[in-house]
Each structure stands twice: as C-alpha cells, then as structure tokens.
C-alpha cells in the first residue's frame, strides 16, 4: 500500500471560483468535469480542516459520519442529489462500519450533458493505518474469525496507485472498477466469518455500483446538529446575491 502520510491534498482554491461553480449548480446549469473536481477538492479539504487541528497527522478515526454529514448537507444545499450510505447496508452487514457519500452531479462532457457519480470518503485514511503485526491480526474461535487486519490489507497491489489517489483527494469517480475496489475491500473485512466461507473471488463491480446508486440513504447529522458541533459547511454567499440583498435593503 501507499504512504498514508502523503495525504491529504492541500487545496489552493479561489473563493470567487468556488462561489461561481456553486451558483451554476444552484441555477441547475451543467458544469464541466474540471469544475466538479475543483468543487470536490474544495469540499474534502474543508471537511478535513474542520475535523482536525492538523489534517496531515490526523487519523480521522471515527470521523466518517461527521464527514459524510457535512458533505451531504452541503451538496444538498446546492441542489445536488447526494446521500450518505453505510457499508453495513450498502456492502455487507458484517463489513467494517463506515459512512460515505454518493453524489450525482450534472456535468457537460464533450458537449453531452450527463450525471457523473462520485464516491466521497475523505476519512478513508483511518482504514490504512498499519500498525506493527497488523497484517497477521487474525483471531478465531471454534472456526469463526472475529478479528481481521485493517481494510488497507485487502487492497490488491495493482489497485495501490488508484487507492493512493483516493486517499490523497478524498473522492473517486464512481464506475464499476472503482466500486469494485472500494466494495470488495470492505466486503473482505467482514467479521464474524466462518473460515470455510472466506471469499476467494471478487464480487463484480457493477453489483456494488448498482447498489450504491439505488440504496436508500442512511441517517446523518442534521444541519442544526453540525452547527452545534461547529462543523457546518455552507455554500459561499455569491457576489450577485449579496448585491441583490444590498439593493433590496437600500
């Protein structure tokens, strides 16, 4: 696996540029894939910043529900179809517990308007913190495995570069291949598990993809709950909206 200390991406963003992208989305205008990436880079950066004093040293352990709630509320405020999913319902009941976001954003790709789906999980780093002897951390009783190594150990070597990018940016474009990497890593983490039932094959990525798209949303923190925790991320007040307000109040 890659060096988790290389994460996360420190974004050098323009407030005006992000505000303009937000405004286009709120006006139901399609954005470019480049604008989508700029927005998601900004979101993941702001979430990591809110959840830690030092995002480079933070483990983000147990912060996934807060992160997913911040992201989902923010995207919903823009009118984006986003939802929080939980691995225990979207992947397998016995998988390691984690919350993540699936978002569908209308974008213009080469002159064709389409909805691009993204899986957003800026705290995934918590599952790639390898401790001493972690790879051998199997505990079993009466033929039942009840403890396993960190999820990062279930990433195939050929997918390491892809996962490193995911750790760095905090999101991935969702297609069958991406869904397979993410879904199977969590599926392989499931406990308890009979030794005789241990999976030796990968579930097709389209199975995960379709389930992620169609699954009902999991519970998340409300805007009020996030505000009480000082974690709420709201869209930037656009310049044109401010001017309109100023004119109205004159």
């Amino acid at each position: 696996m890659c060096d988790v200390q290389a994460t996360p991406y420190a974004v050098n963003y323009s407030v005006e540029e992000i505000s303009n992208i937000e405004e286009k989305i709120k006006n139901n205008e399609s954005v470019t894939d480049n604008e989508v990436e700029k927005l998601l880079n900004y979101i993941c950066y702001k979430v990591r910043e809110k959840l830690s004093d030092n995002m480079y040293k933070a483990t983000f352990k147990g912060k996934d529900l807060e992160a997913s709630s911040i992201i989902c509320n923010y995207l919903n405020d823009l009118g984006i179809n986003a939802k929080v999913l939980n691995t225990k319902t979207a992947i397998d009941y016995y998988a390691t517990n984690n919350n993540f976001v699936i978002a569908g954003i209308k974008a213009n790709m080469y002159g064709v308007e389409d909805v691009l789906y993204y899986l957003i999980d800026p705290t995934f780093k918590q599952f790639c913190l390898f401790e001493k002897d972690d790879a051998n951390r199997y505990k079993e009783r009466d033929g039942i495995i009840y403890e396993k190594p960190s999820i990062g150990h279930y990433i195939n070597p050929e997918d390491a570069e892809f996962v490193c990018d995911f750790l760095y940016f905090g999101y991935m474009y969702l297609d069958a291949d991406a869904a397979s990497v993410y879904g199977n890593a969590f599926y392989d983490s499931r406990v308890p598990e009979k030794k005789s039932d241990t999976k030796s094959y990968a579930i097709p990525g389209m199975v995960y993809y379709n389930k992620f798209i169609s699954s009902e949303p999991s519970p998340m923190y409300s805007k009020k709950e996030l505000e009480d925790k000082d974690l709420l991320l709201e869209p930037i007040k656009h310049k044109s909206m401010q001017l309109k307000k100023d004119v109205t109040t004159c």
Side-chain angles (χ1 to χ4, degrees), residues 143-159:
I144 302 292
I145 300 172
Y146 63 91
E147 187 173 329
K148 286 184 174 181
S150 303
I151 286 172
H153 286 289
Y154 298 105
I155 303 296
N156 291 327
E158 60 266 28
D159 296 322

Side-chain angles (χ1 to χ4, degrees), residues 13-235:
Y13 64 89
S14 159
V15 171
E16 183 176 4
E17 186 173 38
I18 296 301
S19 176
N20 288 336
I21 295 170
E22 291 175 339
E23 196 67 11
K24 286 178 70 174
I25 294 172
K26 283 192 285 187
N27 290 334
N28 202 31
E29 300 174 33
S30 61
V31 292
T32 66
D33 58 332
N34 182 254
E35 287 175 323
V36 172
E37 290 175 2
K38 286 183 178 180
L39 183 67
L40 294 181
N41 286 338
Y42 163 78
I43 294 168
C44 289
Y45 173 75
K46 295 297 289 184
V47 167
R48 286 164 165 168
E49 187 180 51
K50 281 181 172 293
L51 292 175
S52 65
D53 294 327
N54 185 331
M55 68 177 73
Y56 300 99
K57 294 183 178 180
T59 65
F60 297 111
K61 282 186 176 180
K63 298 293 185 179
D64 47 282
L65 181 55
E66 290 178 332
S68 297
S69 299
I70 296 168
I71 295 163
C72 199
N73 277 291
Y74 169 87
L75 293 176
N76 288 164
D77 277 353
L78 295 179
I80 290 172
N81 182 19
K83 60 185 176 181
V84 174
L85 293 184
N86 185 274
T87 51
K88 289 187 171 294
T89 52
I91 296 175
D92 187 272
Y93 179 76
Y94 295 108
T96 298
N97 183 61
N98 184 50
N99 294 279
F100 60 100
V101 172
I102 296 294
I105 305 175
K106 187 169 69 174
N108 193 307
M109 296 282 287
Y110 310 110
V112 178
E113 192 175 275
D114 199 2
V115 175
L116 305 181
Y117 285 97
Y118 290 85
L119 189 157
I120 313 171
D121 185 359
T123 64
F124 185 74
K125 174 182 177 178
Q126 66 182 303
F127 303 113
C128 299
L129 300 169
F130 305 145
E131 299 173 0
K132 187 177 180 180
D133 296 326
D134 186 63
N136 300 314
R137 186 160 54 88
Y138 283 92
K139 292 183 181 179
E140 64 174 275
R141 184 185 297 115
D142 299 327
I144 302 292
I145 300 172
Y146 63 91
E147 187 173 329
K148 286 184 174 181
S150 303
I151 286 172
H153 286 289
Y154 298 105
I155 303 296
N156 291 327
E158 60 266 28
D159 296 322
E161 184 176 350
F162 173 84
V163 175
C164 284
D165 285 343
F166 178 47
L167 284 165
Y168 184 61
F169 293 107
Y171 64 91
M172 62 174 80
Y173 171 70
L174 186 63
D175 57 14
D177 290 337
S180 176
V181 173
Y182 191 85
N184 279 310
F186 278 98
Y187 185 76
D188 283 344
S189 74
R190 67 199 190 284
V191 291
E193 179 186 41
K194 291 182 181 178
K195 288 191 71 177
S196 58
D197 292 341
T198 301
K199 184 178 73 68
S200 59
Y201 61 91
I203 293 175
M206 280 307 297
V207 173
Y208 290 120
Y209 178 89
N210 290 329
K211 196 168 184 182
F212 291 167
I213 300 299
S214 62
S215 290
E216 290 297 312
S218 296
M220 67 175 179
Y221 290 118
S222 67
K223 290 175 67 174
K224 177 64 168 60
E225 288 172 317
L226 291 174
E227 191 171 27
D228 289 344
K229 292 170 173 278
D230 196 26
L231 292 176
L232 185 63
L233 176 64
E234 294 186 288

Side-chain angles (χ1 to χ4, degrees), residues 228-244:
D228 289 344
K229 292 170 173 278
D230 196 26
L231 292 176
L232 185 63
L233 176 64
E234 294 186 288
I236 300 164
K237 187 171 291 185
H238 197 260
K239 199 181 299 181
S240 63
M241 294 297 292
Q242 185 62 50
L243 287 172
K244 184 177 179 181

